[in-house]
Amino acid sequence: MLSRISVIPRLSRCCGLRGECVAELTRGYSSVSKEGSWLQSLFVRKVDPRKDAHSTLLSKKETSGLYKIQFHNVKPECLGAYNKLTEEVLPKLHQDPDYPCDLVGNWNTWYGEQDQAVHLWRFSGGYPALMDCMNKLKNNKEYLAFREERSHMLLSRRNQLLLEFSFWNEPTPRKGPNIYELRTYRLKPGTMIEWGNNWARAIKYRQENQEAVGGFFSQIGELYVVHHLWAYKDLQSREETRKSAWTKRGWDENVYYTGILRQYYCTYSFIILKCHFNILFYSSF
């Protein structure tokens, strides 16, 4: 300790941190630094660096699992006109073989944020397919006119590019009518892998009535966001299905461990406008 304290007066006489002062100071504290780092290693958990990105570790191939979700907040007095306009234009893109995209569903919010329209698209071919669509739409006069007319009906809009979790079902056609529930979770940064690991084990508890439609995580847009999409015959069926999950051993553990990973979560409910699954209703919890 004395050797370290003796450095301080000499340091104060220096106009700056000259070489000899820095060297003496470094020598004086080197042993303590080594001791400190040794003690620290006993209590600090070592984390192995990831070898790959979230998109590779958690998702299906990007060429088959790229989605875009759009949230449009519509002026209340324009919602009817907005729905009619989108029903006229968007299905044409879905049916056109020159556009490598599928319109998974259109919804209006039922419970949650009101006067909101939600659209979910799937791009067969990943990012190249997305860019192909975007470039073609720039020259699509009907679509450009649609966007211009739509802009007068909107208050705001946002979107995200999503990837599918590898362990979730891919959205497929199902008999209706149904209600669909979209749960949106915002996770703490760095917890996406843990979330995926927990749900890869837990998804089996939510397959009894084929209610699991799709699971997605954000890739571009707001990050660390997860969307889970569920389907039910009606609200009563939803209630019974969710209660049934709690009777299965292991479901409570999943709820606990994933609960500590999220910052907060919000839910949206939708009624479908037009869906290419032969479904009449599409909503979320």
Side-chain angles (χ1 to χ4, degrees):
M1 288 294 294
L2 290 177
S3 62
R4 292 196 293 275
I5 294 172
S6 64
V7 174
I8 305 303
R10 293 187 58 188
L11 240 152
S12 64
R13 293 194 297 270
C14 296
C15 296
L17 288 177
R18 295 177 181 172
E20 62 271 16
C21 297
V22 175
E24 241 181 292
L25 185 62
T26 303
R27 282 197 300 272
Y29 283 96
S30 61
S31 60
V32 175
S33 299
K34 291 177 181 177
E35 292 174 8
S37 62
W38 179 80
L39 289 171
Q40 192 177 26
S41 68
L42 296 178
F43 300 101
V44 177
R45 181 173 63 90
K46 292 183 179 180
V47 179
D48 294 330
R50 289 207 322 268
K51 304 299 183 184
D52 221 328
H54 286 152
S55 59
T56 303
L57 295 173
L58 294 174
S59 71
K60 301 175 183 177
K61 292 182 179 180
E62 294 178 10
T63 54
S64 62
L66 181 64
Y67 290 75
K68 180 171 73 172
I69 191 167
Q70 299 172 302
F71 298 92
H72 291 174
N73 292 317
V74 185
K75 296 176 182 178
E77 67 274 15
C78 296
L79 187 58
Y82 174 94
N83 290 342
K84 182 179 179 181
L85 182 65
T86 55
E87 287 187 66
E88 291 174 355
V89 177
L90 298 188
K92 294 179 182 179
L93 298 178
H94 171 85
Q95 296 164 1
D96 192 332
D98 288 336
Y99 290 86
C101 61
D102 299 309
L103 183 58
V104 177
N106 294 327
W107 304 274
N108 285 148
T109 303
W110 186 15
Y111 290 108
E113 193 166 351
Q114 297 295 284
D115 303 311
Q116 186 178 69
V118 180
H119 310 283
L120 183 64
W121 297 86
R122 176 171 51 212
F123 295 91
S124 303
Y127 293 112
L130 171 67
M131 297 307 300
D132 184 30
C133 283
M134 291 179 63
N135 291 330
K136 288 177 178 177
L137 289 175
K138 291 177 182 178
N139 300 311
N140 186 324
K141 293 182 179 179
E142 182 181 11
Y143 183 77
L144 295 176
F146 157 75
R147 282 177 57 96
E148 174 64 24
E149 186 175 355
R150 185 190 65 182
S151 67
H152 301 294
M153 304 176 183
L154 299 180
L155 294 171
S156 64
R157 59 194 177 100
R158 61 186 175 89
N159 59 20
Q160 290 177 324
L161 288 182
L162 312 172
L163 295 177
E164 284 182 287
F165 283 111
S166 59
F167 49 86
W168 273 76
N169 304 329
E170 182 174 329
T172 57
R174 58 178 65 205
K175 293 181 179 180
N178 295 292
I179 65 169
Y180 286 69
E181 180 175 32
L182 179 70
R183 282 205 171 190
T184 299
Y185 303 87
R186 288 164 177 83
L187 306 186
K188 298 175 182 178
T191 61
M192 186 66 74
I193 298 294
E194 293 177 74
W195 180 277
N197 288 338
N198 276 284
W199 270 99
R201 294 189 295 269
I203 192 64
K204 62 184 179 182
Y205 303 118
R206 298 298 307 273
Q207 297 280 23
E208 185 175 294
N209 296 318
Q210 298 183 331
E211 65 267 27
V213 177
F216 316 93
F217 62 96
S218 59
Q219 185 69 3
I220 296 179
E222 186 181 359
L223 298 179
Y224 298 105
V225 175
V226 171
H227 300 285
H228 290 175
L229 191 59
W230 309 91
Y232 307 99
K233 181 180 178 181
D234 50 36
L235 290 177
Q236 183 60 37
S237 173
R238 170 189 176 273
E239 178 74 7
E240 295 170 357
T241 300
R242 287 173 52 80
K243 283 185 177 179
S244 175
W246 286 98
T247 65
K248 299 179 174 65
R249 185 177 180 181
W251 174 249
D252 56 340
E253 293 181 7
N254 172 69
V255 173
Y256 172 78
Y257 286 115
T258 56
I260 62 179
L261 301 179
R262 65 190 187 221
Q263 292 179 330
Y264 61 95
Y265 74 91
C266 56
T267 65
Y268 300 95
S269 249
F270 312 124
I271 292 180
I272 200 165
L273 300 174
K274 184 74 173 180
C275 185
H276 301 282
F277 294 162
N278 296 321
I279 304 176
L280 298 179
F281 298 93
Y282 207 94
S283 74
S284 78
F285 76 91

